Amino acid sequence: TQLLEQSPQFLSIQEGENLTVYCNSSSVFSSLQWYRQEPGEGPVLLVTVVTGGEVKKLKRLTFQFGDARKDSSLHITAAQTGDTGLYLCAGPNYNNNDMRFGAGTRLTVKP
Amino acid sequence: DSGVTQTPKHLITATGQRVTLRCSPRSGDLSVYWYQQSLDQGLQFLIQYYNGEERAKGNILERFSAQQFPDLHSELNLSSLELGDSALYFCASARGEIWGYTFGSGTRLTVV
């Protein structure tokens, strides 16, 4: 089973600060995805990265896939209270039949 | 609204009982995935169906079973419930792995 480790587990910052969260594995993934989950809701897909070294931007969010396709990072610039939530990374299992999720980073942005 | 519908939203039942959770996938999606989410275990893959056929199994207990019907909706059956089965159960649908999953809002199961 390919494991995805996310760090930090918890992060609490003030509005306006920048932050980076990480998703690491010892296995190579064909792609990685990032989701955000808010309380009482299911995870919502933010981005899929496919190519090693790829960088994708979604407004204030920047996603990077490691060159070796074993890790990914999510950087948020000037965090807002609306960014609060659980950030999950996920990658296809070796048989490509399901996605395996990391434990997530729980982000709290305080006003 | 994600397009994936899960019912019921909340369920409270006693130990030893059996419950059925229902999921209607997004229109056009043939794959349905079931996940269990608890505070200490995160999102755990249970089982996948594709166009009515079981495709993959994860950490699904023998007390749990699922099926996908011809209209592509899916049901997850949980029997002989234990306190430890209390969790959020999510259904997700997808057209293909690379495009990501669309999750429903989940069913919160509480076993008392």
Side-chain angles (χ1 to χ4, degrees):
Chain A
T1 300
Q2 298 160 285
L3 295 176
L4 289 164
E5 296 184 354
Q6 292 191 246
S7 61
Q9 189 177 358
F10 298 95
L11 186 57
S12 181
I13 61 170
Q14 295 293 137
E15 198 169 29
E17 293 182 358
N18 301 332
L19 66 113
T20 302
V21 298
Y22 301 91
C23 174
N24 294 293
S25 176
S26 58
S27 303
V28 174
F29 284 90
S30 57
S31 64
L32 279 180
Q33 297 173 349
W34 285 91
Y35 292 78
R36 180 170 65 212
Q37 184 179 17
E38 298 184 25
E41 297 297 326
V44 175
L45 178 66
L46 297 175
V47 77
T48 300
V49 286
V50 179
T51 306
E54 181 177 7
V55 176
K56 280 192 173 180
K57 291 193 174 185
L58 185 65
K59 296 184 181 177
R60 294 174 295 100
L61 279 60
T62 301
F63 304 86
Q64 184 160 7
F65 199 12
D67 291 341
R69 292 186 287 127
K70 292 183 177 181
D71 56 89
S72 182
S73 63
L74 158 59
H75 180 80
I76 301 179
T77 303
Q80 299 176 356
T81 56
D83 295 326
T84 292
L86 178 67
Y87 288 82
L88 297 159
C89 68
N93 195 23
Y94 68 94
N95 59 10
N96 281 326
N97 282 339
D98 64 272
M99 298 293 280
R100 298 300 166 114
F101 286 78
T105 292
R106 193 167 296 278
L107 172 66
T108 303
V109 182
K110 295 179 284 188
Chain B
D1 181 9
S2 68
V4 177
T5 303
Q6 286 190 251
T7 58
K9 195 164 179 63
H10 301 278
L11 197 50
I12 301 175
T13 189
T15 55
Q17 296 298 305
R18 171 189 167 95
V19 296
T20 297
L21 313 183
R22 183 187 169 101
C23 168
S24 293
R26 194 178 55 164
S27 178
D29 289 354
L30 300 180
S31 284
V32 168
Y33 303 80
W34 286 97
Y35 283 82
Q36 179 192 60
Q37 187 178 41
S38 56
L39 282 175
D40 58 344
Q41 291 290 323
L43 266 169
Q44 297 292 311
F45 170 65
L46 296 178
I47 197 164
Q48 178 208 359
Y49 280 82
Y50 178 83
N51 202 20
E53 299 290 327
E54 182 186 300
R55 177 69 70 89
K57 269 188 174 180
N59 302 320
I60 188 166
L61 300 172
E62 285 191 10
R63 301 183 285 110
F64 296 0
S65 65
Q67 54 185 330
Q68 187 179 27
F69 295 87
D71 66 352
L72 300 179
H73 91 270
S74 179
E75 293 181 354
L76 179 66
N77 302 297
L78 314 177
S79 61
S80 303
L81 284 168
E82 302 175 359
L83 295 178
D85 297 327
S86 296
L88 275 165
Y89 290 84
F90 286 103
C91 164
S93 71
R95 290 193 174 95
E97 287 291 343
I98 198 68
W99 306 112
Y101 289 1
T102 300
F103 280 85
S105 296
T107 294
R108 181 176 292 280
L109 173 66
T110 303
V111 183
V112 297

